[in-house]
Amino acid sequence: MNETLIFMGPPGAGKGTQAVKLCENRKLKQLSTGDMLRDHVRRGTELGVQAKQIMDAGKLVSDEVIIGMVRAELESMEEVRVLFDGFPRTTAQAEALDQLLQDFNAPLAGVVLLEVDEEVVTQRLLKRAELEGRSDDNEQTIRNRLKVYNEQTAPLIGYYEGTGKLKKVDGMGEVADVEARIQGILG
Ligand code: ADP
């Protein structure tokens, strides 16, 4: 049966980590637009070359490109059982997703918002920069990504609150504790 979930939260909130665990449990496919873009960068596609500059500046890749990428991915699936991680990030993307979910007949089970203090996410991202060396994990870009999140993505909290689907989860503390909170709220 088709089913979709959305993971929201600032960069560094732990969306990717928690998404992997939840996908295992609920047999969902994790669809991270950030991972998809990084894959294009690695493969050196035309999109990858353009996206790299935007990502390294901490800005958002255009809605058109992102929505097209997500649509193509959904079209390739036999059954749409997806956890969106890092998408939607703008109101235009959220509206497009509503339409996509209708087209693919895949109801939205919930929107999990991982809440973490800005100071904590900044420290986490700086630490990840040391460990993984992601080129957009430097202090200037991190600051910009948080600003973009607050300006362009945070308004989606209200958007999904209005649908009654939003589930706020405290994202602070140990990974296992956060995992248990998410399981608890989704049932
Ligand atoms: P994080 O949320 O930890 O910053 P992501 O891997 O989700 O990292 O995204 C990395 C970068 O990829 C973003 O800063 C942005 O440039 C680009 N990106 C990812 N998803 C989207 C999206 N839905 N819309 C626009 N840009 C995106």
Side-chain angles (χ1 to χ4, degrees):
M1 217 177 54
N2 288 355
E3 179 184 273
T4 54
L5 274 175
I6 296 173
F7 259 27
M8 268 191 76
K15 298 187 293 292
T17 306
Q18 294 297 336
V20 169
K21 295 176 181 297
L22 202 65
C23 282
E24 273 171 26
N25 292 338
R26 297 174 80 101
K27 301 274 172 284
L28 298 169
K29 179 172 181 192
Q30 181 184 358
L31 220 161
S32 158
T33 43
D35 284 348
M36 291 162 82
L37 292 170
R38 278 185 289 278
D39 189 51
H40 275 278
V41 173
R42 257 191 306 275
R43 290 189 283 125
T45 67
E46 197 181 327
L47 165 58
V49 172
Q50 286 171 10
K52 183 165 179 9
Q53 291 188 359
I54 298 169
M55 293 164 81
D56 284 349
K59 296 181 182 160
L60 294 183
V61 173
S62 82
D63 289 331
E64 205 188 337
V65 164
I66 296 287
I67 293 161
M69 217 169 63
V70 170
R71 173 181 281 281
E73 187 68 28
L74 295 180
E75 274 166 356
S76 76
M77 300 175 86
E78 262 181 44
E79 194 183 31
V80 178
R81 295 190 56 79
V82 171
L83 188 158
F84 290 104
D85 161 14
F87 173 86
R89 258 176 155 95
T90 63
T91 304
Q93 290 180 19
E95 288 170 356
L97 180 60
D98 283 345
Q99 186 62 49
L100 283 172
L101 295 185
Q102 263 192 38
D103 293 350
F104 286 90
N105 199 15
L108 184 59
V111 181
V112 175
L113 174 65
L114 275 181
E115 297 184 300
V116 182
D117 290 350
E118 198 153 313
E119 194 42 46
V120 172
V121 295
T122 308
Q123 291 312 318
R124 283 187 188 173
L125 290 168
L126 286 171
K127 195 167 155 207
R128 186 171 78 184
E130 282 175 28
L131 299 173
E132 295 178 16
R134 238 175 76 171
S135 61
D136 60 347
D137 278 345
N138 61 72
E139 202 162 346
Q140 180 58 42
T141 306
I142 290 168
R143 243 187 268 289
N144 220 354
R145 278 154 64 203
L146 286 168
K147 183 165 173 276
V148 167
Y149 175 80
N150 288 326
E151 287 175 2
Q152 302 202 51
T153 308
L156 297 186
I157 297 170
Y159 183 88
Y160 286 118
E161 230 157 15
T163 68
K165 298 266 169 75
L166 190 78
K167 298 165 197 300
K168 295 184 181 176
V169 174
D170 177 3
M172 309 272 277
E174 299 294 326
V175 170
D177 294 339
V178 178
E179 190 185 350
R181 284 177 210 139
I182 295 172
Q183 302 274 16
I185 208 161
L186 288 175

